[in-house]
């Protein structure tokens, strides 16, 4: 399984320079616009794109059919992808949150409010990927693209509209009384449960799939 993860990491390595440049540019944009959440949203989106690109590469080269002729099992394939997702998305989320906090310090915006936004984005990305991965295994990367866009865009737009309608003072007062350690622990537990369920579903799908 380690070899499968390394193979995918090597395949996305060529995009790392672009990711660093991308993150630097949008950090500057976030500072200029005083919108720290802008960094988190786009950083997480790009990290997700890197992960999904590994599925497209595997499909193009018929990698799964080839590798299953060896000693590796279908369970190893699925497990390798989930490990890769946790590594890529976890790293992207942490970097994005640190970027958001840095922008908050520079622009003197509310750290509490933007930390909440960053944490929410991290939870959302992991939950979203828990849904997306089984879809990719079921329909393939290209066919599942429309579903992925809807899963990503619709909730984000909904939250943005709700945020416009909500009264800012009430939101800030609510956020100040939240126990963030408890929220963080709850978020981690929720993500773990979602990933376990997603892994089980993906495994059942790939066990019935013909290559």
């Amino acid at each position: 399984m380690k070899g499968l993860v390394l193979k995918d990491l090597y395949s996305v390595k060529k995009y790392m320079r672009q990711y660093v440049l991308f993150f630097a540019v949008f950090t500057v944009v976030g500072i200029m616009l005083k919108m720290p959440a802008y960094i988190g949203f786009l950083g997480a989106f790009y990290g997700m794109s890197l992960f999904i690109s590994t599925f497209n590469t595997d499909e193009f080269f018929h990698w799964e059919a080839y590798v299953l002729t060896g000693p590796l099992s279908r369970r190893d394939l699925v497990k390798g992808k989930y490990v890769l997702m946790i590594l890529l998305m976890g790293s992207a989320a942490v970097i994005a949150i640190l970027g958001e906090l840095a922008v908050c310090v520079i622009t003197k915006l509310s750290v509490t409010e933007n930390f909440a936004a960053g944490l929410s984005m991290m939870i959302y990305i992991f939950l979203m990927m828990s849904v997306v991965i089984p879809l990719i295994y079921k329909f393939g990367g290209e066919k599942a693209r429309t579903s992925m866009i809807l899963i990503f865009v619709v909730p984000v737009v909904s939250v943005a509209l709700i945020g416009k309608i909500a009264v800012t003072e009430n939101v800030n007062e609510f956020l100040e009384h939240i126990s963030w350690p408890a929220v963080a622990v709850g978020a981690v537990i929720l993500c773990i449960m979602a990933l376990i369920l997603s892994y089980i579903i993906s495994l059942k799908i790939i066990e019935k799939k013909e290559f």
Side-chain angles (χ1 to χ4, degrees), residues 40-56:
F41 176 82
L42 293 174
F45 183 81
Y46 196 75
M48 180 188 69
S49 299
L50 285 178
F51 173 68
I52 293 175
S53 70
T54 65
F55 281 96
N56 295 331

Side-chain angles (χ1 to χ4, degrees), residues 157-201:
V157 173
S158 300
V159 171
L161 291 175
I162 292 172
K164 289 291 184 179
I165 298 172
V167 180
T168 305
E169 290 78 5
N170 292 339
V171 172
N172 288 334
E173 184 179 351
F174 173 73
L175 291 174
E176 288 175 359
H177 290 84
I178 289 179
S179 174
W180 289 109
V183 171
V185 171
V188 170
I189 293 173
L190 179 62
C191 289
I192 291 174
M193 292 176 63
L195 288 175
I196 291 174
L197 179 60
S198 176
Y199 171 77
I200 293 172
I201 295 172

